Amino acid sequence: MTALSVQNLSKTFTMHLRDGVVLPVVENVNFHVEPGECVVLGGPSGAGKSSILKMVYGNYGVDAGAITIQHHGEAVDLATADPRTVLTLRRDSIGYVSQFLRTVPRVSALDVVAEPLVIRGVDKTEAQGRARELLARLNLPERLWSLPPATFSGGEQQRVNIARGFITDHPVLLLDEPTASLDATNRAVVVAMIGEKKAQGVALLGIFHDEEVRAQVADRIIDVTAFAPRIAA
Amino acid sequence: MTTVAQYNFAYLDEQTKRMIRRAILKAVAVPGYQVPFSSREMPMPYGWGTGGVQVTASIIGPSDVLKVIDQGADDTTNAVSIRAFFAKVAQVETTTRTAEATIIQTRHRIPEKPLGKGQILVYQVPIPEPLRYLEPRETETRKMHALEEYGLMHVKLYEDIARHGRIATTFAYPVKVEGRYVMDPSPTPKFDNPKMHMSAALQLFGAGREHRIYAVPPHTEVASLDFEDHPFTIQHFPEPCALCGAREVYLDEVILDDHGGHMFVCSDTDHCEDRRGAGHVGPLGVAQEAAE
Amino acid sequence: MTAEQPLLRVSNLAKYYGSRLGCADVSFELWPGEVLAIVGESGSGKTTLLNALSATLEPSAGETLYRMRDGQWRNIYDLSEAERRFLVRTDWGFVHQNPADGLRMTVSAGANVGERLMAVGDRHYGNIRATALDWLGRVEIAADRIDDQPRSFSGGMRQRLQIARNLVTGPRLVFMDEPTGGLDVSVQARLLDLLRGLVGELGLAAIVVTHDLAVARLLSHRMMVMKNGHVIESGLTDRVLDDPREPYTQLLVSSILQV
C-alpha cells in the first residue's frame, strides 16, 4: 500500500504586498512513496522542493490536487483536511525534520526531542530515555541536554531537530536537508538512521543537497523541474 | 409638664411608620434578606442608632416596656438618651430589666438572659452588608445574595486563619440565616451568635445610614460560618466576673488604676445586678447588703 | 475518539454597537484540547468577539452552543444568570490582560487561588490551602509568598497567579485576552512556556486573543485573523503564518520584527 501519494498538485503564491503579483511555484506534481523507500526531491534551488515538502506537511496550502496519506489504515487527503485532522496526521502518521529548529523558550533540548512522544501519550520518563539515546547517538554533548537549544550552534540545533523527528515511528517522514550543517561523523550517523527507518518500513521523502549523502540514501530521485509551471499570466 | 402634642406618637409620622412596618414585614418573611427602606432624618447623628430608633418607633405601642442597652450597659450615654427620647415622644414605660422589657433596643450585645416569646430585640446596625469588605460594588453584592454566591465570605475567614492561625473575627461574625442568606449580625461579639439561633424572640435589624432593614423571626436557624477543620467557637474567659462571679458570660475589662490594675466584669449590667441581688459575689465584689 | 464532540459551536455571531460593527458572521467549532488564537490589530473586533464568546457581552445575532459537563448542549446566551455565573467560575476561566482585573488585589495569593474552591463549596481550610500551595508551585510562585497580597507581586507573578486562580477548578475552556500583553520579553517567554505546558498537560481548550503572532505560533493550533469585525482568514496556525493568503494577513506576517 502506497504510504504517500501526491496527485496533480499545483501551487502559486499571490503577493498582495507587491501589487498582487502571482508567483507560480509548481504544477501537476505527481509522485508516490512506498513504505521502506527513500525518495529524494532533486533539482536546483528555487525549483520548489521545499514548497512541496511544506505542502505535504500542511504548512503550505495547495491550489489544486491531492496529498493522500495512510492514516490508521485509511487514506486521508491532507490537502483538503481540516486543521484538526492535519494535527492528528502529524501526531500519528507524518513526521517532519525541518531545516531549522523552531526553539521554544525555556524548554530543554531533551524535552524538545521527547515532546512528540509525550504528545502521543508515552510516559515522560520513557520518552526522555528514548531522547537520551538519540542525542547520544548524534554525539550531542550531554552537558547541553538540559539547556534550551536557542543558544546552540547550527549543527547542534540540527541534531536536536533530527532527534525530534526520528524519535517517533511515524510511517511517513519528511526530511528537509537534515545533514546540511553536520560534520562527516554525524552525517554518517544520520545516513545510518535513515537506513534503519527504511528497514522498519517507513516511507521517507527528503531533500539532500549533499551528493554523497543523497547517493547513500536515495532509492529514487524525482526531478522537480518536471513540475515547473508553464509560463503563467 | 409639656404635653406630647408637639410630637406625633413615637416621633415618626404615621405614613413613615407604615412604610417601615411594610419593610419589617418583608424582612420577617424573608429572613436575613436586607430590605431597603426610606430612612428618615432623626434628631440624632448617624452612628447613634438612627436605624434602630426608626424600627423601634415603628413597632412601639403605648403598652410596651422599653429597654435600651449599649455595649450591654443600660447606663451609657447612648442608652440613656434613646430611653429618654422614647419616654418623651411615646411616653412609654422604660426599664433596665431584661425580663420586664417587651422591646430591647441594642447596640453591640444580646442580653445574657435568654429572651422569650413576645420580646423583640432591635439591633442598631452600622454596615448591614457582610460582603462589603471584599466586594465594594453594591450591584455585585446584591447579585451575590440573589444567587447565593457566598464563597467570598469564606475568603475572609480563610484570610483570618492564614494570618492568625485561627478565625480572628470576633465581632460582626457572619451568619447564615435559615440556610439561605448570609447576614451581618451587627457588631455584636461572636460570643452572642449562638443566642440568635432558634431564639424565641423576634430580632429586627435597622441600618439608618445604609437604608436597610432585616430580620430573624423567632425559632429561626442562625449558623455561624466556619471551616470543617476550623469550626466556629465563642470566646471563653479564664476568670469569672469580678463582681458577681458569673462564668460563661461576656466580660468587659475595667481599668482600676494607673498601675495596670484591672478587673473583668459582666458586660450585661442588668444580668450582673440581678445576680448580685440574688447573693452571688465575685472575687472583687462585696455582698450587696453590705454595700448599702 | 469517534465519540468525541466539540466543546463549543459558534454560528453567525455578530455584535453591533448601534450601527457600528463590532464583529459579524463569526462561525467556528472548538474541540477539547484545542487552542485557537484570534489575531488582528486593535479595533479589528477580536476583543468584542472574545467578550461575546465568554458571555460577557450579549451578541446582536447568532448563537454560541457549549457542551456542559453533563453533556447537554446549551446556548450560553439562554443560560440564567445563576447558571452562567456558575459556569464562568467552574468550567471556564478568563485570563485578563491586566491581572488586577482578574485578581482580588487586597487578599492573599492563597485566598485568590482558593476562592473558586470555596465558591463551589469547599469548606476544609487545610485542603484549600494545600491545593492553593500546589497551584502556586505549578505556576512557579514560591510557597512562602502564599500569604502575600498580589499588590506586592511583579507583573509576571501577578499574571501567573491569575492563571492559577483560573485553573484551580479544572476548567475545560479558558479565554485569554492578550495574556502576555504588558510583560517584559523574558517574562513573556516564561509565561508562554508555562501556559503551553499547562494547556498541554491539562488538555484545556483555549481561545487566546493576541496581536502578537509569535504568541499565536507558540500557543495555538489554529488561528483566525480578524479585520474590520470579520474573520478574513483561518486555519492551522502553521499554515496561516507560513502561507498567508489574504492581503492583510500577509501584511501582518511581513510586519513581524526578526531578531
Side-chain angles (χ1 to χ4, degrees):
Chain A
M1 203 172 359
T2 304
L4 166 67
S5 127
V6 171
Q7 301 118 29
N8 304 319
L9 207 60
S10 62
K11 170 75 182 164
T12 55
F13 284 123
T14 307
M15 313 298 276
H16 293 285
L17 301 182
R18 284 196 261 146
D19 301 324
V21 58
V22 177
L23 300 179
V25 183
V26 285
E27 208 173 83
N28 277 317
V29 181
N30 281 288
F31 65 86
H32 58 93
V33 185
E34 303 300 322
E37 180 182 42
C38 180
V39 172
V40 172
L41 299 173
S45 289
K49 302 187 297 291
S50 264
S51 295
I52 292 174
L53 223 49
K54 285 180 171 154
M55 282 188 273
V56 173
Y57 197 58
N59 278 30
Y60 281 0
V62 303
D63 297 347
I67 301 166
T68 313
I69 293 169
Q70 286 300 320
H71 177 59
H72 298 309
E74 254 179 83
V76 178
D77 180 14
L78 184 139
T80 52
D82 59 28
R84 221 170 97 76
T85 309
V86 175
L87 288 173
T88 43
L89 281 168
R90 287 180 178 185
R91 190 189 64 200
D92 299 337
S93 301
I94 180 164
Y96 181 39
V97 177
S98 59
Q99 209 171 345
F100 302 103
L101 177 68
R102 189 178 293 284
T103 58
V104 178
R106 290 211 313 163
V107 180
S108 71
L110 197 65
D111 286 335
V112 169
V113 174
E115 190 183 54
L117 282 186
V118 174
I119 289 173
R120 299 174 83 182
V122 174
D123 172 71
K124 195 166 178 188
T125 351
E126 194 188 323
Q128 285 180 341
R130 282 282 297 129
R132 273 194 195 88
E133 285 168 31
L134 280 165
L135 289 175
R137 187 167 179 198
L138 287 157
N139 303 305
L140 190 77
E142 196 169 342
R143 61 185 162 77
L144 296 179
W145 296 1
S146 59
L147 301 176
T151 55
F152 291 8
S153 72
E156 287 161 351
Q157 290 199 357
Q158 187 149 43
R159 278 176 278 161
V160 172
N161 219 7
I162 291 166
R164 179 181 160 93
F166 276 77
I167 197 167
T168 53
D169 54 359
H170 286 131
V172 178
L173 188 57
L174 311 177
L175 306 168
D176 192 353
E177 301 243 35
T179 57
S181 39
L182 299 185
D183 58 24
T185 320
N186 286 316
R187 268 204 307 272
V189 174
V190 175
V191 168
M193 285 167 63
I194 290 172
E196 287 159 27
K197 284 280 178 198
K198 285 204 277 186
Q200 288 159 15
V202 174
L204 294 113
L205 175 67
I207 303 171
F208 295 89
H209 278 147
D210 187 315
E211 302 270 355
E212 196 188 317
V213 174
R214 183 163 42 185
Q216 284 173 292
V217 300
D219 294 301
R220 275 192 293 137
I221 294 178
I222 293 169
D223 182 7
V224 171
T225 51
F227 310 132
R230 286 167 289 270
I231 306 307
Chain B
M1 180 92 192
T2 50
T3 64
V4 77
Q6 298 158 46
Y7 299 100
N8 194 38
F9 178 78
Y11 188 77
L12 292 175
D13 62 277
E14 296 307 315
Q15 285 299 340
T16 299
K17 284 194 273 187
R18 266 199 287 273
M19 175 269 293
I20 294 176
R21 284 176 201 141
R22 278 195 295 271
I24 293 171
L25 283 174
K26 180 167 180 183
V28 168
V30 191
Y33 171 71
Q34 299 167 45
V35 182
F37 79 109
S38 176
S39 182
R40 296 292 191 250
E41 292 295 326
M42 298 303 285
M44 62 186 72
Y46 288 124
W48 282 60
T50 53
V53 166
Q54 289 179 76
V55 169
T56 301
S58 306
I59 58 171
I60 202 163
S63 62
D64 273 311
V65 179
L66 179 70
K67 169 181 162 82
V68 183
I69 49 175
D70 172 11
Q71 311 272 11
D74 293 274
D75 53 5
T76 57
T77 314
N78 193 262
V80 170
S81 311
I82 292 173
R83 215 160 45 228
F85 174 75
F86 281 109
K88 183 168 188 180
V89 300
Q91 292 187 318
V92 292
E93 194 186 324
T94 62
T95 182
T96 60
R97 307 185 68 82
T98 300
E100 288 168 10
T102 55
I103 299 173
I104 303 170
Q105 183 172 329
T106 177
R107 174 171 177 265
H108 297 191
R109 277 309 310 280
I110 299 174
E112 302 291 357
K113 190 187 290 292
L115 301 178
K117 187 178 171 208
Q119 288 188 301
I120 301 175
L121 188 59
V122 178
Y123 296 75
Q124 305 169 195
V125 179
I127 297 169
E129 181 47 72
L131 298 161
R132 177 82 80 245
Y133 165 79
L134 292 158
E135 179 51 73
R137 289 169 296 180
E138 175 77 14
T139 47
E140 186 64 15
T141 54
R142 281 196 216 185
K143 223 170 254 175
M144 291 160 88
H145 281 296
L147 302 175
E148 237 182 309
E149 290 180 5
Y150 290 132
L152 204 51
M153 226 46 255
H154 276 84
V155 168
K156 184 175 184 298
L157 302 180
Y158 170 96
E159 288 288 87
D160 259 13
I161 304 174
R163 204 166 301 150
H164 307 286
R166 66 196 154 80
I167 299 176
T169 302
T170 52
F171 63 92
Y173 192 106
V175 295
K176 196 167 209 182
V177 181
E178 204 67 7
R180 176 58 180 85
Y181 285 97
V182 165
M183 182 186 96
D184 186 326
S186 88
T188 50
K190 66 175 182 176
F191 182 90
D192 288 338
N193 275 16
K195 295 177 188 154
M196 308 178 76
H197 178 61
M198 291 295 171
S199 170
L202 169 64
Q203 304 174 73
L204 301 176
F205 300 77
R209 184 175 32 207
E210 301 266 335
H211 303 209
R212 292 289 182 277
I213 285 172
Y214 50 102
V216 175
H219 309 292
T220 299
E221 226 176 84
V222 178
S224 303
L225 303 182
D226 60 4
F227 285 103
E228 288 158 19
D229 48 345
H230 286 266
F232 172 79
T233 54
I234 58 171
Q235 298 98 323
H236 285 282
F237 298 88
E239 38 191 306
C241 170
L243 299 178
C244 77
R247 292 183 183 274
E248 307 309 323
V249 296
Y250 194 75
L251 300 180
D252 284 338
E253 185 180 13
V254 177
I255 305 296
L256 296 174
D257 51 39
D258 289 344
H259 310 290
H262 64 111
M263 63 175 181
F264 287 97
V265 298
C266 284
S267 135
D268 185 339
T269 52
D270 170 61
H271 185 68
C272 199
E273 268 163 37
D274 231 29
R275 281 177 54 85
R276 280 185 284 153
H280 297 281
V281 183
L284 292 181
V286 274
Q288 219 158 47
E289 294 82 357
E292 277 160 9
Chain C
M1 278 308 248
T2 45
E4 211 184 308
Q5 291 186 62
L7 200 56
L8 200 66
R9 282 195 175 125
V10 181
S11 41
N12 302 313
L13 207 62
K15 173 67 188 177
Y16 290 89
Y17 299 99
S19 59
R20 203 160 53 79
L21 172 69
C23 64
D25 302 325
V26 179
S27 300
F28 67 93
E29 284 183 349
L30 187 75
W31 293 71
E34 194 174 39
V35 180
L36 171 72
I38 303 175
V39 303
E41 62 195 358
S42 310
S44 60
K46 55 193 198 300
T47 298
T48 294
L49 176 59
L50 189 75
N51 287 337
L53 293 173
S54 59
T56 317
L57 197 68
E58 177 133 19
S60 314
E63 60 176 21
T64 298
L65 299 177
Y66 181 70
R67 184 161 54 83
M68 309 290 275
R69 286 198 192 200
D70 63 5
Q72 296 270 11
W73 283 97
R74 300 284 303 272
N75 184 352
I76 58 169
Y77 312 115
D78 292 343
L79 295 176
S80 71
E81 184 155 23
E83 288 174 309
R84 186 178 62 74
R85 287 170 67 112
F86 185 75
L87 182 71
V88 164
R89 64 168 194 262
T90 53
D91 213 19
W92 286 6
F94 200 112
V95 176
H96 297 263
Q97 176 172 9
N98 178 2
D101 295 341
L103 292 171
R104 292 196 188 276
M105 298 303 279
T106 55
V107 308
S108 69
N112 262 292
V113 178
E115 181 177 345
R116 274 179 160 229
L117 297 173
M118 296 183 246
V120 294
D122 203 326
R123 292 289 176 267
H124 191 284
Y125 173 84
N127 294 349
I128 292 165
R129 194 168 172 85
T131 308
L133 210 53
D134 174 48
W135 270 98
L136 291 182
R138 291 169 85 160
V139 298
E140 301 171 14
I141 294 175
D144 63 4
R145 303 302 301 268
I146 189 171
D147 294 327
D148 293 346
Q149 295 182 0
R151 284 191 295 198
S152 69
F153 287 7
S154 67
M157 279 174 78
R158 288 180 187 185
Q159 198 57 296
R160 281 180 274 134
L161 180 63
Q162 193 189 181
I163 288 162
R165 174 178 160 92
N166 272 284
L167 298 188
V168 68
T169 47
R172 294 186 300 160
L173 174 59
V174 178
F175 300 93
M176 301 187 209
D177 188 6
E178 303 275 9
T180 58
L183 304 175
D184 291 347
V185 182
S186 63
V187 176
Q188 257 191 35
R190 182 177 187 186
L191 188 80
L192 279 174
D193 172 41
L194 191 89
L195 271 176
R196 190 172 165 273
L198 287 171
V199 164
E201 193 184 315
L202 304 170
L204 292 178
I207 298 179
V208 184
V209 158
T210 181
H211 66 272
D212 186 336
L213 296 182
V215 169
R217 168 87 85 174
L218 209 57
L219 281 183
S220 72
H221 301 112
R222 227 159 29 102
M223 235 170 93
M224 297 199 314
V225 183
M226 292 196 72
K227 185 170 190 265
N228 298 334
H230 290 270
V231 176
I232 53 160
E233 184 161 358
S234 66
L236 196 69
T237 298
D238 284 349
R239 210 283 292 151
V240 175
L241 291 178
D242 291 347
D243 183 16
R245 306 292 181 83
E246 293 297 316
Y248 176 69
T249 318
Q250 291 187 357
L251 178 67
L252 268 187
V253 171
S254 65
S255 309
I256 304 175
L257 294 174
Q258 298 286 340
V259 189

